[in-house]
Structure formats: structure tokens, C-alpha cells
Amino acid sequence: MAGAVARNFMVIGQCIAHETKNAAKVRVKKLQFDERLHMYFPKHTNFYAHDPEKQCKVGDIVLIQALPEKMTRFITHSLVKVVYPYGDVTDPITGKKCVVSSYRENIDKRNEMFGMAEEGASGFDYAEAPERGWQEGKKDFTHKVGYKKWHEFEPGHPLYNDPVAS
Amino acid sequence: MAFSLRLAGRCISGAARYGVHPGFNGVKTTSLVPFCKPNGVNIPAIDQRRHYAMRLELTEYGIMWRRPKYVPSWQPEKSGDLEGVKEPELSTPNLKVQPAKDVLDQVDEVTRRLLSIEFSSHKENLKIQRHELCKKIQRHQHDTGSMEVAIAMMTIKIRNLQKETFKCKKNIVQRCYLQELIDRRKKTLKHLRRMDYKRFEWLIGELNIIFRPPPRYYRWVARKASLKKLVRMRKREIIHKKLNEYKESLESQKEPFLKEKAETLKWIAETEKSLGLPVSVTVPEAASSSA
């Protein structure tokens, strides 16, 4: 159990899919020292951070802070900010957009040097691409908790042919 | 009797062996084996479906569990492919002769037809499919190795193999290869999602693939747990229904109560006024205005 002082610290973690309303489920990872083996082992704790505007999406790295007192039975933290949106990272030093280990502008330059094919043109343009979430609920179901199909629901039921079930 | 039973048992195993593939857990609803006639012994129809003893006290309330139909993981339903193979037009010239387009336009009809994929192998057809999709997806004209092109190429292979596997399910090597491809594509999509979310969304829209999260838990689909869930769902339904009814009844009581309250307050105020006492209540505006 963390002490009262430690509770005021901000912690950084990753959002995971959940079903709670007005909150984001944040998984905070830490290393726990094993006295007997003198080794660190990865451990994680889940926190619920108050987020009524749904700023954080699944996979984002977010900064959260403990509330002075519990908001509900589950919600114990408040969202400070979204540090790194998932799959759309800005380099904190240069302030440029980057993909894994290279800047987006470098990738674009490289593509320009190769040149587009005559007939074909890549349909994707990062500058014009819509914000993340336009495929949510259509083809991308990662915002929901996946489960195994366990019952054949009747047509008309909200869980009939649920695309989230695998 | 023992003889006929033994025969019957043999018959059942035979039917299972030669009948329609019953699927995992034997759940697939196969047609009933109408009649078995081994060596002239007649036995009644055998229902090959697996039945589950349902809890009768739940069945009375209409809570029945139906085990989901087993779908092999190589099928498009599971792999997430929303569309099948896009067949190119038969008049498309082979990929080999496509650079010489000017010459091809000048030659006669028969030659052009011979050089089209109508008279070529399936391989040429695949090449055309790959080429056409690659043009749509690739980042630049020589791009064959980027993640999205790799995923697109895998998708073409997967859809063609799925078509083949529906025709012949016993080609196990092919089926395994298909399964491996599906898994690899899933993994690559996962990585692309992590690296470049916008491109990932564009790609799944372009290729018409559903990307679903893995199940949080892998557990057996069992009757007991499923029935428990169903009962819980029914319970929640009933609670919501009753609460809503109660809310409605309270809402309907609200109006008459407010009316009565206004009238009473008005009466109090009037009485106090008539007795020459200071008015101790505030009459709501609606009541005073109507008066």
C-alpha cells in the first residue's frame, strides 16, 4: 500500500479497453523487487481515472493523479494529460511527428524521391487523414473488451452477431 | 440384441466418419442420419447433434443456452475478411505483356485474347490481382516491402486460399499455411496499429478487414457459466424494467401533488391574510397567477 504522500504523485500508464462510464482504465506498470531472489519482476496495477470527455483512447500513454478522495467506488484518479496518443507520437525534443524511429517528414521525402507510379497513387496522406476513431465500431473494435463467443443470441438482441466476439 | 447393438454402434461410427464433418465438439447441426442399413439391420434415425441437459427451472423462464456454432478459424468470418477475391476482368492482358501496351493495342483481337488472362494460368491471375492492389496501397512506385503492402499481399493470398479451402478442406498443408498467413497478417496489423494508427485505419478500410481485440480471457465455453451469465442478464433486465416502471409511476404522481400543494398553500395564505396575521408561506407563482 502506498502511503498518503505517495498518493499525491502523478503516475504514467497506458489506457486499456474497459466498460466503465466517465472513466479511463489505466494500467500502470512498475518493477517489484523480490528480496529472496534479488531480482525485479514486472507488476501492474489498474486505476480508473475520471475522464467524462473521453479524451483518452485505448493504448494512449496518459498521466494521472490521485484524487484527494474517491469519486466513486472505482474512480480514484483524475486525468492530467494525454502524453503520447497511441500510434501518433510526437517527438518531445524536436516537436516533430515520428513513426517509431524515423520522422514523418523524412519518410515523406524518401517517398517523393522514389516517385509515385503513373497510374496508382497512394490513397493515404497523413496531413489529410481523419482523426483516429473514424473506423471505431465499423472495422476497428479495439475500443471494446474482446471475448469469446459464448451464446447464439436471437436476431434483434444487441449481442446478436457481435463483431467484438471472436 | 447384443448383435444389433454392436452393429448399430458400428453404424454410428461409420456415419460419423463418412458424414458431414461434425465440427469441433460435434456441434455443427448436421442433418439427421435418416436410416442406417448395415447388413440389412434397420435401426431408427440417430440424432448426431450433441444435446445438453438444460436446467428446467430456467427453461420455464425462457432462459435457454445455445452453444455457438463452431467456425474454423481459417474462415473469413473469423479471419475478419468482409469480402472475397476480387477477380480481374478476363480481358486484362498478362502482366508480362503490359509494358508493351502500344504494341498490344495494334494487334488483332485473337492475339490480344490469347495474351489475356483468360488463357493463362491461375498464377497470372494472381499476379494481376497483386499488381492492382499494390498500386492502390503502395507508398511509392517501387514500394513492395512496407507494412501495408505486405498486409495487402497477405490478404490476397488469404482470400484465394480461403476460396480453395472451401472447395477442399482435406488439404491440410494448405489449410495450415492459410492459418499461418492469417495469424501473421493479424500480427502485422497489430504492429502497424501501434506504429501508425491513422494509416492502420485507412488500410483496414481499404482492404475491408475487421480488426477485433483478442479475448481478454480464454476459457472453455461451458453451459454452467453461460447460463449464469444469461440469468444475470435477465436479472438486470428485470431490475431496469421495474425501476423504470416505478419512475414512471412517481412522475405521474408529481403533477397532481404539485397542484394539491399549490392549492393548499394558497388556502393557508388566504386564511392567514383574513385573520390579519403575517403570511408565513410562499405561494408558487403558477398558483397565484391562475388565481
Side-chain angles (χ1 to χ4, degrees):
Chain A
M1 278 297 288
V5 184
R7 264 182 220 149
N8 294 328
F9 275 98
M10 288 191 275
V11 281
I12 203 161
Q14 191 175 30
C15 284
I16 52 175
H18 62 98
E19 279 154 5
T20 30
K21 282 174 192 168
N22 298 331
K25 193 175 181 182
V26 181
R27 174 163 292 180
V28 177
K29 287 180 180 174
K30 63 176 177 183
L31 290 170
Q32 205 176 41
F33 188 67
D34 191 320
E35 291 281 331
R36 203 172 284 179
L37 295 170
H38 273 255
M39 272 172 77
Y40 284 97
F41 288 96
K43 285 270 152 32
H44 71 249
T45 329
N46 292 337
F47 294 117
Y48 288 93
H50 186 55
D51 177 25
E53 285 147 25
K54 295 189 179 174
Q55 286 176 32
C56 11
K57 303 212 166 167
V58 175
D60 291 353
I61 306 288
V62 293
L63 199 62
I64 53 171
Q65 192 176 23
L67 290 164
E69 56 184 47
K70 273 187 177 182
M71 188 176 270
T72 64
R73 207 173 115 213
F74 298 109
I75 301 174
T76 52
H77 283 67
S78 63
L79 178 74
V80 179
K81 70 165 182 177
V82 179
V83 185
Y84 296 119
Y86 196 61
D88 194 9
V89 176
T90 314
D91 180 23
I93 298 167
T94 53
K96 290 174 186 170
K97 288 275 175 193
C98 54
V99 181
V100 195
S101 59
S102 49
Y103 295 119
R104 273 190 196 275
E105 50 182 61
N106 288 3
I107 295 171
D108 289 344
K109 263 183 209 166
R110 190 167 167 274
N111 291 346
E112 263 174 42
M113 282 152 105
F114 275 110
M116 287 315 309
E118 280 172 25
E119 312 95 336
S122 176
F124 181 73
D125 184 12
Y126 180 76
E128 288 171 14
E131 279 297 302
R132 175 193 163 173
W134 66 281
Q135 286 286 13
E136 199 175 281
K138 287 176 193 163
K139 272 161 198 159
D140 179 16
F141 291 94
T142 44
H143 62 291
K144 290 203 169 169
V145 183
Y147 64 94
K148 240 169 126 181
K149 193 176 180 181
W150 53 277
H151 180 60
E152 289 277 6
F153 285 98
E154 274 160 20
H157 194 276
L159 289 177
Y160 172 68
N161 272 347
D162 192 15
V164 187
S166 49
Chain B
M1 188 58 203
F3 176 70
S4 66
L5 259 181
R6 207 169 70 226
L7 269 180
R10 215 180 268 170
C11 168
I12 293 162
S13 65
R17 209 182 301 134
Y18 298 114
V20 189
H21 179 240
F24 190 60
N25 293 337
V27 179
K28 197 169 177 184
T29 48
T30 49
S31 56
L32 307 185
V33 178
F35 237 67
C36 288
K37 253 189 176 179
N39 304 333
V41 179
N42 289 336
I43 57 165
I46 300 156
D47 188 356
Q48 285 216 337
R49 283 174 303 174
R50 186 169 159 183
H51 288 283
Y52 298 90
M54 286 298 152
R55 287 181 44 194
L56 282 177
E57 68 271 28
L58 297 179
T59 316
E60 278 172 20
Y61 290 101
I63 299 176
M64 271 285 280
W65 174 62
R66 284 178 295 277
R67 180 180 271 275
K69 210 180 98 192
Y70 171 69
V71 182
S73 52
W74 56 266
Q75 287 191 1
E77 224 177 313
K78 283 280 171 98
S79 73
D81 289 271
L82 292 179
E83 61 179 34
V85 182
K86 259 187 194 167
E87 292 284 352
E89 275 180 40
L90 284 180
S91 59
T92 322
N94 282 335
L95 200 64
K96 252 187 277 178
V97 294
Q98 271 190 13
K101 217 176 179 182
D102 310 335
V103 185
L104 206 68
D105 289 338
Q106 290 163 15
V107 295
D108 59 315
E109 185 68 26
V110 179
T111 321
R112 215 182 295 157
R113 216 175 140 205
L114 280 172
L115 288 172
S116 70
I117 56 167
E118 194 182 348
F119 292 102
S120 303
S121 59
H122 176 61
K123 214 172 177 179
E124 295 295 328
N125 191 330
L126 266 184
K127 273 184 195 169
I128 295 282
Q129 281 181 33
R130 266 194 221 125
H131 182 68
E132 278 179 1
L133 191 65
C134 198
K135 272 196 303 189
K136 257 170 73 184
I137 303 289
Q138 64 187 183
R139 295 183 184 186
H140 54 78
Q141 56 179 337
H142 303 296
D143 177 21
T144 51
S146 67
M147 239 173 188
E148 53 269 26
V149 172
I151 290 166
M153 295 301 101
M154 276 189 248
T155 306
I156 283 191
K157 267 188 199 170
I158 286 167
R159 286 176 184 170
N160 278 288
L161 281 173
Q162 275 170 346
K163 207 173 105 187
E164 289 305 308
T165 314
F166 269 118
K167 281 182 209 158
C168 172
K169 283 165 192 131
K170 292 201 174 180
N171 193 343
I172 294 163
V173 176
Q174 198 188 51
R175 213 176 62 202
C176 288
Y177 178 53
L178 170 60
Q179 187 58 56
E180 280 168 18
L181 266 178
I182 289 170
D183 295 344
R184 185 161 291 278
R185 182 180 69 176
K186 201 175 183 180
K187 202 165 184 174
T188 323
L189 272 171
K190 188 182 83 182
H191 290 324
L192 182 65
R193 178 172 171 263
R194 192 192 67 224
M195 292 170 184
D196 198 343
Y197 210 106
K198 288 183 181 177
R199 197 180 281 274
F200 161 80
E201 284 197 320
W202 166 79
L203 187 70
I204 54 172
E206 203 77 4
L207 297 177
N208 231 343
I209 303 171
I210 275 189
F211 188 82
R212 45 169 85 88
R216 184 155 281 184
Y217 303 107
Y218 286 96
R219 285 184 189 137
W220 292 107
V221 172
R223 181 195 57 166
K224 189 169 182 177
S226 306
L227 273 176
K228 211 171 177 178
K229 271 190 217 170
L230 283 175
V231 170
R232 208 169 289 164
M233 280 166 84
R234 175 62 62 90
K235 185 189 85 179
R236 229 169 283 150
E237 235 174 61
I238 291 171
I239 287 176
H240 279 292
K241 203 179 148 196
K242 283 194 174 173
L243 275 178
N244 284 340
E245 274 175 10
Y246 186 54
K247 247 183 212 171
E248 269 177 27
S249 73
L250 286 183
E251 283 291 323
S252 62
Q253 280 172 29
K254 213 171 172 180
E255 212 172 295
F257 171 75
L258 281 176
K259 215 173 172 184
E260 198 190 326
K261 188 186 167 188
E263 274 171 14
T264 320
L265 285 174
K266 206 174 137 194
W267 175 79
I268 292 171
E270 275 172 7
T271 322
E272 277 174 343
K273 223 182 251 176
S274 63
L275 290 173
L277 290 167
V279 180
S280 60
V281 290
T282 47
V283 182
E285 277 177 27
S288 57
S289 65
S290 64

